[in-house]
Amino acid sequence: MMDATLPKVAEPRAFDSVLIANRGEIALRVQRACRELGLKTVMIYSEADKDADYLKAADTAICIGPASPAQSYLNVPAILLAMELTGAGAVHPGYGFLSERASFSEAVEAAGAVFIGPRADAIRTMGDKIAAKRAMMEAGVPCVPGPDSALPDDMAEVSKIAAEIGYPVIVKAAGGGGGRGMRVVYDASALQDAVLVTREEASRAFGTPELYIEKFLEHPRHVEIQVLCDGQGGGVWVGLRDCSMQRRHQKVVEEGPAIGIPPDVAAFVGNRCVEACRQIGYRGVGTFEFLYENGEFYFIEMNTRLQVEHPVTEMTSGVDLVRQQLLVALGYPLEISQDDIVCEGHSIECRINAEDPYNFIPCPGLITALHLPGGPGVRVDTHVTAGYRVSAHYDSLIAKLIVHAPTREQAILRMRRALGEMRIEGVSTNLPLHREILQDPAFSEGGTDIHYLEHWLAARS
Ligand code: ADP
């Protein structure tokens, strides 16, 4: 079904070249999908990235500023200028940087190009966690217990709400992100301070003092659902991923499917997610993130972009998510329906970072030697080569190692084998940590919660 030819629907192509407003492995991933569809690519780069090999994959590469992200990959006027100079008809934002900034989507479309992602209003709704929660509740997506409205100023009212939910509760900033702007409260005496401090932080860091409160779940897993919509009424969910292996809200290992979840429960929640997308006129790929505890799903947020861990879903479903993003942006209705989605086998992804494996301090520097694993069921998404210099200016992700096998057990054996083959010299990486995780009995058993890795690290040191 995912063949090399365009779908038969005769729609005029809205663009024939794509500016990739990102860097590193995801820039290369997007370039590859564009090339397979016959689309030309423009890559932007900062002065720090000017010698990177992956830029050679683009038809055009254009420098947009100095190393600092604010002056380059977040520099909207410079990116729009690059778009104009190169005549790119569309912009793919990748993940991070400008990918979830509604005003960027608007600016690209105002300049006459296609933003490869949802419309600005959908990004805006999902970026406001209260609005997002309300939209989800309306669509019947299960949410964490707590009101879908902002906390009042009156502390007596707030105490009443918290007591109704039942402690522990979590106070969260409506505009929060990246694991910041939230506080857990275990009893009533600590509530007022938590609200005041979080409100202060929210006004300073997220530009809105709005807070909300919900039940704090103590031992959840992180389970997420991938969706894909054409914005014309067509939409599918493409399986579940488990990303519970995290440290400080940063995912370290991801896998799919999420084990131990009955297929009918997964299908019920998946269908509700697609329904929510229809209701907000969602276009493109997106991810609904849930906490999963005692057999129940609790929505926490929607990411309105491609995720780092999207290959896990591609490996199990056979759906090329980036290709689908491009087709939807070109105006094609989805060529797949829910019945076409069949996830097979098991996939695991390890995020390989240039950092100390145990204290997580980034280790930028020159990669002097690189040996990538291969063989059946192994995929490596990376932009680095021997001779590549890992910059201190950007995140430390240098490669994603992904495996696929018929069963989870075989996928674990395959990942151990692939990690054993992988060799990176010159910079310190977290390969040793991944090798240990893949040998861990609890990981092998599966279903560990989101605190597991941090406890394991604490016990180890
Ligand atoms: P962000 O946008 O900052 O990533 P999220 O709402 O996705 O914020 O929450 C980030 C993390 O905080 C979650 O992955 C989870 O670990 C924790 N968290 C958020 N809400 C709750 C909750 N109600 N109960 C327990 N943990 C929570």
Side-chain angles (χ1 to χ4, degrees), residues 83-392:
M83 199 176 86
E84 201 181 307
L85 287 174
T86 59
V91 174
H92 193 303
Y95 52 66
F97 294 122
L98 296 167
S99 60
E100 290 184 287
R101 196 173 289 183
S103 59
F104 182 58
S105 163
E106 250 159 18
V108 167
E109 305 233 324
V114 174
F115 179 76
I116 303 175
R119 270 177 282 272
D121 56 341
I123 302 178
R124 216 165 258 133
T125 302
M126 292 306 149
D128 174 343
K129 294 186 174 189
I130 299 175
K133 190 166 181 177
R134 191 173 306 136
M136 292 309 127
M137 281 169 133
E138 278 166 13
V141 175
C143 293
V144 185
D148 61 346
S149 52
L151 276 186
D153 287 328
D154 178 7
M155 261 323 287
E157 279 292 309
V158 175
S159 304
K160 220 172 105 195
I161 298 169
E164 271 166 24
I165 297 171
Y167 289 90
V169 295
I170 181 166
V171 177
K172 298 169 80 169
R180 293 180 314 132
M182 48 194 161
R183 236 159 231 94
V184 183
V185 185
Y186 288 92
D187 63 80
S189 65
L191 185 63
Q192 181 159 3
D193 274 0
V195 169
L196 292 177
V197 177
T198 314
R199 206 184 281 289
E200 218 294 296
E201 187 183 65
S203 337
R204 215 173 351 102
F206 313 121
T208 159
E210 276 199 334
L211 304 181
Y212 67 112
I213 191 169
E214 61 188 22
K215 181 84 183 161
F216 177 69
L217 303 167
E218 296 191 76
H219 300 288
R221 286 163 63 191
H222 173 115
V223 175
E224 55 185 37
I225 300 185
Q226 176 71 54
V227 294
L228 165 64
C229 303
D230 59 15
Q232 307 178 44
V236 290
W237 59 279
V238 203
L240 276 57
R241 296 185 288 257
D242 185 321
C243 315
S244 301
M245 212 42 96
Q246 308 185 349
R247 177 184 167 270
R248 298 200 181 155
H249 305 306
Q250 298 298 312
K251 297 165 186 168
V252 177
V253 178
E254 301 105 339
E255 60 179 288
I259 63 161
I261 298 179
D264 57 326
V265 176
F268 175 82
V269 182
N271 289 331
R272 301 260 56 86
C273 293
V274 173
E275 184 50 37
C277 288
R278 279 208 188 93
Q279 288 186 13
I280 59 171
Y282 195 80
R283 176 184 77 191
V285 300
T287 297
F288 287 76
E289 295 194 337
F290 293 89
L291 297 177
Y292 180 80
E293 191 174 78
N294 299 329
E296 305 273 353
F297 280 83
Y298 302 96
F299 171 80
I300 44 170
E301 70 166 342
M302 180 182 190
N303 292 320
T304 54
R305 54 165 166 85
L306 193 67
Q307 306 264 118
V308 175
E309 59 272 25
H310 75 276
V312 163
T313 302
E314 296 187 323
M315 299 293 268
T316 49
S317 67
V319 176
D320 181 330
L321 290 167
V322 184
R323 176 188 171 89
Q324 292 299 323
Q325 275 190 301
L326 294 167
L327 289 174
V328 163
L330 282 162
Y332 293 99
L334 269 196
E335 54 177 348
I336 31 181
S337 67
Q338 196 62 54
D339 291 341
D340 297 324
I341 310 275
V342 183
C343 290
E344 279 173 352
H346 201 89
S347 176
I348 304 175
E349 171 179 284
C350 290
R351 294 192 189 191
I352 313 299
N353 298 330
E355 66 189 13
D356 181 282
Y358 302 106
N359 69 19
F360 303 91
I361 294 171
C363 291
L366 183 72
I367 295 180
T368 52
L370 180 75
H371 179 84
L372 298 179
V378 175
R379 164 174 169 183
V380 183
D381 279 19
T382 184
H383 59 295
V384 309
T385 49
Y388 177 89
R389 186 170 287 281
V390 181
S391 166

Side-chain angles (χ1 to χ4, degrees), residues 2-46:
M2 298 293 114
D3 60 11
T5 54
L6 286 169
K8 299 269 180 298
V9 189
E11 282 273 336
R13 302 184 71 168
F15 53 85
D16 58 15
S17 71
V18 177
L19 181 142
I20 303 167
N22 215 298
R23 62 177 301 283
E25 72 86 17
I26 196 62
L28 185 54
R29 169 71 188 93
V30 173
Q31 185 278 335
R32 286 173 169 155
C34 290
R35 179 57 50 87
E36 289 180 14
L37 276 170
L39 296 165
K40 289 205 170 62
T41 50
V42 177
M43 281 191 191
I44 58 167
Y45 63 92
S46 71

